[in-house]
Amino acid sequence: DTAVSQTPKYLVTQMGNDKSIKCEQNLGHDTMYWYKQDSKKFLKIMFSYNNKELIINETVPNRFSPKSPDKAHLNLHINSLELGDSAVYFCASSPTPTANTEAFFGQGTRLTVV
Amino acid sequence: AQSVTQPDIHITVSEGASLELRCNYSYGATPYLFWYVQSPGQGLQLLLKYFSGDTLVQGIKGFEAEFKRSQSSFNLRKPSVHWSDAAEYFCAVGVQGAQKLVFGQGTRLTINP
């Protein structure tokens, strides 16, 4: 069983479209995250949820809207996609939202906006 | 602001050779430090972590790292690399209060046969 799973793995779409990426974790963790990895492999946190509540929002454009229907799921919806949104998006989870906790990552979703 | 610097963007070593990947951090408090590895097309996997205590920590796959507070460093080492170690390696600091990981820019490791 995959601990943190994301779908889809690849996503190619045109500018202006709206798309969603889904994430599920079966580890029983309370905290889930979205990270963005740009073309230079730089990883930066976007959002963090703890027990379905938003706790981190790192100055991400409001075209990005995370939703956590329950603590095992954290989806990312992106409106009006732009070329600069092309990146690999990683979902992650951890037992607690503390800085000394290991994060478990999904395999990533490679988003290409054309 | 917290930051992590990995000075080497790309390192090439021969199979069987020793390896050291450098990581320097900037953080005001006691850092929580991590090394993650990303194989091609995969997510990140934790290699090892340092929170407190013994400054030499052992991880998976034969890796170890040493925390040196005086140098603000947390370098990753392996005595003898294998071709399967070719990957991207990320150093990260856990930011207390902000409850997030701040990553370095990564070091790509290539192994020559």
Side-chain angles (χ1 to χ4, degrees):
Chain A
D1 268 351
T2 304
V4 181
S5 59
Q6 306 176 219
T7 54
K9 191 169 181 179
Y10 300 97
L11 186 53
V12 181
T13 188
Q14 291 187 323
M15 282 175 55
N17 284 350
D18 303 338
K19 290 294 179 186
S20 291
I21 307 172
K22 296 187 175 182
C23 179
E24 176 181 4
Q25 55 97 1
N26 62 6
L27 298 168
H29 290 168
D30 285 346
T31 311
M32 296 185 72
Y33 311 84
W34 279 110
Y35 282 84
K36 179 180 180 180
Q37 186 176 47
D38 63 22
S39 58
K40 295 185 178 178
K41 301 277 187 172
F42 184 62
L43 265 163
K44 189 161 189 274
I45 192 166
M46 301 172 69
F47 301 103
S48 171
Y49 272 72
N50 187 55
N51 272 323
K52 303 190 298 176
E53 298 296 323
L54 179 68
I55 56 173
I56 294 176
N57 182 342
E58 286 279 307
T59 59
V60 177
N62 57 16
R63 297 183 295 105
F64 290 78
S65 52
K67 282 191 172 48
S68 182
D70 55 63
K71 72 174 192 178
H73 295 84
L74 179 62
N75 304 323
L76 183 65
H77 188 75
I78 315 171
N79 289 327
S80 304
L81 277 155
E82 301 177 357
L83 293 176
D85 298 330
S86 296
V88 181
Y89 293 85
F90 285 99
C91 178
S93 73
S94 63
T96 59
T98 52
N100 62 347
T101 305
E102 174 186 354
F104 293 77
F105 285 79
Q107 289 199 319
T109 296
R110 182 175 293 278
L111 171 65
T112 303
V113 183
V114 297
Chain B
Q2 312 84 10
S3 66
V4 178
T5 301
Q6 295 178 244
D8 305 304
I9 294 175
H10 185 200
I11 283 184
T12 300
V13 299
S14 298
E15 191 167 14
S18 63
L19 171 70
E20 182 168 28
L21 301 182
R22 295 183 291 164
C23 172
N24 293 97
Y25 66 89
S26 172
Y27 187 58
T30 300
Y32 300 130
L33 295 162
F34 304 80
W35 274 100
Y36 283 86
V37 60
Q38 183 183 20
S39 298
Q42 302 295 315
L44 281 76
Q45 180 185 21
L46 181 71
L47 284 176
L48 47 78
K49 59 193 176 190
Y50 171 79
F51 295 159
S52 64
D54 192 346
T55 56
L56 184 64
V57 293
Q58 303 297 320
I60 62 170
K61 305 185 182 187
F63 285 92
E64 65 178 27
E66 187 170 13
F67 170 59
K68 293 185 177 180
R69 184 185 299 275
S70 61
Q71 298 177 19
S72 297
S73 69
F74 188 55
N75 294 349
L76 182 71
R77 301 194 293 248
K78 186 169 184 177
S80 175
V81 297
H82 186 261
W83 64 266
S84 61
D85 293 324
E88 193 88 23
Y89 291 80
F90 292 93
C91 182
V93 61
V95 179
Q96 300 176 51
Q99 318 304 6
K100 65 180 181 181
L101 291 174
V102 173
F103 284 88
Q105 57 268 59
T107 298
R108 182 159 61 99
L109 176 64
T110 298
I111 308 294
N112 279 339

